[in-house]
mmCIF file of all heavy atoms in Angstrom:
data_model
loop_
_atom_site.group_PDB
_atom_site.id
_atom_site.type_symbol
_atom_site.label_atom_id
_atom_site.label_comp_id
_atom_site.label_asym_id
_atom_site.label_seq_id
_atom_site.Cartn_x
_atom_site.Cartn_y
_atom_site.Cartn_z
ATOM 1 N N GLU Z 158 -23.830 6.601 24.658
ATOM 2 C CA GLU Z 158 -22.672 5.963 25.269
ATOM 3 C C GLU Z 158 -22.294 6.633 26.580
ATOM 4 O O GLU Z 158 -21.525 6.080 27.351
ATOM 5 C CB GLU Z 158 -21.487 5.943 24.290
ATOM 6 C CG GLU Z 158 -20.527 7.068 24.427
ATOM 7 C CD GLU Z 158 -20.991 8.267 23.656
ATOM 8 O OE1 GLU Z 158 -22.220 8.442 23.520
ATOM 9 O OE2 GLU Z 158 -20.165 9.015 23.184
ATOM 10 N N GLU Z 159 -22.826 7.778 26.833
ATOM 11 C CA GLU Z 159 -22.582 8.424 28.108
ATOM 12 C C GLU Z 159 -23.332 7.718 29.244
ATOM 13 O O GLU Z 159 -22.921 7.758 30.368
ATOM 14 C CB GLU Z 159 -23.053 9.883 28.044
ATOM 15 C CG GLU Z 159 -22.320 10.707 27.020
ATOM 16 C CD GLU Z 159 -20.964 11.100 27.516
ATOM 17 O OE1 GLU Z 159 -20.783 11.188 28.743
ATOM 18 O OE2 GLU Z 159 -20.088 11.303 26.670
ATOM 19 N N THR Z 160 -24.404 7.131 28.880
ATOM 20 C CA THR Z 160 -25.255 6.503 29.878
ATOM 21 C C THR Z 160 -24.763 5.103 30.177
ATOM 22 O O THR Z 160 -24.966 4.191 29.426
ATOM 23 C CB THR Z 160 -26.691 6.410 29.357
ATOM 24 O OG1 THR Z 160 -26.986 7.610 28.666
ATOM 25 C CG2 THR Z 160 -27.642 6.191 30.481
ATOM 26 N N LYS Z 161 -24.087 4.961 31.269
ATOM 27 C CA LYS Z 161 -23.589 3.638 31.618
ATOM 28 C C LYS Z 161 -24.665 2.880 32.358
ATOM 29 O O LYS Z 161 -25.121 3.294 33.410
ATOM 30 C CB LYS Z 161 -22.332 3.756 32.468
ATOM 31 C CG LYS Z 161 -21.236 4.469 31.712
ATOM 32 C CD LYS Z 161 -19.949 4.464 32.473
ATOM 33 C CE LYS Z 161 -18.929 5.234 31.653
ATOM 34 N NZ LYS Z 161 -17.694 5.476 32.349
ATOM 35 N N ARG Z 162 -25.055 1.827 31.788
ATOM 36 C CA ARG Z 162 -26.118 1.061 32.411
ATOM 37 C C ARG Z 162 -25.539 -0.139 33.109
ATOM 38 O O ARG Z 162 -24.484 -0.649 32.763
ATOM 39 C CB ARG Z 162 -27.122 0.598 31.357
ATOM 40 C CG ARG Z 162 -27.797 1.781 30.723
ATOM 41 C CD ARG Z 162 -28.872 1.367 29.794
ATOM 42 N NE ARG Z 162 -29.398 2.556 29.133
ATOM 43 C CZ ARG Z 162 -30.242 2.496 28.131
ATOM 44 N NH1 ARG Z 162 -30.655 1.342 27.686
ATOM 45 N NH2 ARG Z 162 -30.683 3.597 27.588
ATOM 46 N N THR Z 163 -26.283 -0.587 34.070
ATOM 47 C CA THR Z 163 -25.857 -1.781 34.767
ATOM 48 C C THR Z 163 -25.855 -2.946 33.796
ATOM 49 O O THR Z 163 -26.852 -3.205 33.147
ATOM 50 C CB THR Z 163 -26.825 -2.100 35.914
ATOM 51 O OG1 THR Z 163 -27.010 -0.910 36.659
ATOM 52 C CG2 THR Z 163 -26.271 -3.188 36.781
ATOM 53 N N PRO Z 164 -24.764 -3.625 33.739
ATOM 54 C CA PRO Z 164 -24.743 -4.758 32.829
ATOM 55 C C PRO Z 164 -25.748 -5.810 33.246
ATOM 56 O O PRO Z 164 -25.875 -6.127 34.432
ATOM 57 C CB PRO Z 164 -23.307 -5.290 32.955
ATOM 58 C CG PRO Z 164 -22.532 -4.173 33.545
ATOM 59 C CD PRO Z 164 -23.496 -3.411 34.398
ATOM 60 N N SER Z 165 -26.442 -6.285 32.294
ATOM 61 C CA SER Z 165 -27.354 -7.374 32.595
ATOM 62 C C SER Z 165 -26.613 -8.684 32.453
ATOM 63 O O SER Z 165 -25.490 -8.730 31.983
ATOM 64 C CB SER Z 165 -28.542 -7.345 31.631
ATOM 65 O OG SER Z 165 -28.075 -7.430 30.305
ATOM 66 N N GLU Z 166 -27.253 -9.740 32.875
ATOM 67 C CA GLU Z 166 -26.534 -11.017 32.839
ATOM 68 C C GLU Z 166 -26.222 -11.376 31.395
ATOM 69 O O GLU Z 166 -26.941 -11.025 30.484
ATOM 70 C CB GLU Z 166 -27.379 -12.116 33.492
ATOM 71 C CG GLU Z 166 -28.588 -12.493 32.678
ATOM 72 C CD GLU Z 166 -29.843 -12.065 33.360
ATOM 73 O OE1 GLU Z 166 -30.277 -12.799 34.241
ATOM 74 O OE2 GLU Z 166 -30.391 -11.029 33.014
ATOM 75 N N GLY Z 167 -25.129 -12.064 31.248
ATOM 76 C CA GLY Z 167 -24.744 -12.461 29.906
ATOM 77 C C GLY Z 167 -23.866 -11.437 29.240
ATOM 78 O O GLY Z 167 -23.350 -11.682 28.174
ATOM 79 N N GLN Z 168 -23.709 -10.319 29.850
ATOM 80 C CA GLN Z 168 -22.876 -9.331 29.200
ATOM 81 C C GLN Z 168 -21.410 -9.599 29.477
ATOM 82 O O GLN Z 168 -21.037 -10.103 30.522
ATOM 83 C CB GLN Z 168 -23.240 -7.928 29.665
ATOM 84 C CG GLN Z 168 -24.526 -7.464 29.019
ATOM 85 C CD GLN Z 168 -24.740 -6.006 29.259
ATOM 86 O OE1 GLN Z 168 -24.409 -5.510 30.318
ATOM 87 N NE2 GLN Z 168 -25.289 -5.319 28.286
ATOM 88 N N LEU Z 169 -20.632 -9.211 28.504
ATOM 89 C CA LEU Z 169 -19.206 -9.375 28.645
ATOM 90 C C LEU Z 169 -18.725 -8.565 29.824
ATOM 91 O O LEU Z 169 -18.976 -7.374 29.900
ATOM 92 C CB LEU Z 169 -18.505 -8.840 27.402
ATOM 93 C CG LEU Z 169 -18.149 -9.827 26.319
ATOM 94 C CD1 LEU Z 169 -17.462 -9.074 25.213
ATOM 95 C CD2 LEU Z 169 -17.250 -10.893 26.869
ATOM 96 N N PRO Z 170 -18.026 -9.180 30.755
ATOM 97 C CA PRO Z 170 -17.479 -8.397 31.848
ATOM 98 C C PRO Z 170 -16.527 -7.332 31.332
ATOM 99 O O PRO Z 170 -16.628 -6.175 31.697
ATOM 100 C CB PRO Z 170 -16.740 -9.434 32.697
ATOM 101 C CG PRO Z 170 -16.746 -10.703 31.935
ATOM 102 C CD PRO Z 170 -17.696 -10.588 30.812
ATOM 103 N N THR Z 171 -15.621 -7.734 30.505
ATOM 104 C CA THR Z 171 -14.736 -6.739 29.926
ATOM 105 C C THR Z 171 -14.208 -7.219 28.598
ATOM 106 O O THR Z 171 -13.439 -8.151 28.517
ATOM 107 C CB THR Z 171 -13.554 -6.429 30.859
ATOM 108 O OG1 THR Z 171 -12.532 -5.809 30.090
ATOM 109 C CG2 THR Z 171 -13.011 -7.682 31.505
ATOM 110 N N ALA Z 172 -14.660 -6.607 27.599
ATOM 111 C CA ALA Z 172 -14.136 -6.890 26.274
ATOM 112 C C ALA Z 172 -13.315 -5.702 25.857
ATOM 113 O O ALA Z 172 -13.507 -5.105 24.829
ATOM 114 C CB ALA Z 172 -15.253 -7.140 25.280
#
Side-chain angles (χ1 to χ4, degrees):
Chain Z
E158 95 275 30
E159 298 283 333
T160 320
K161 299 186 182 172
R162 296 186 185 171
T163 311
S165 58
E166 70 249 278
Q168 284 191 324
L169 264 181
T171 162

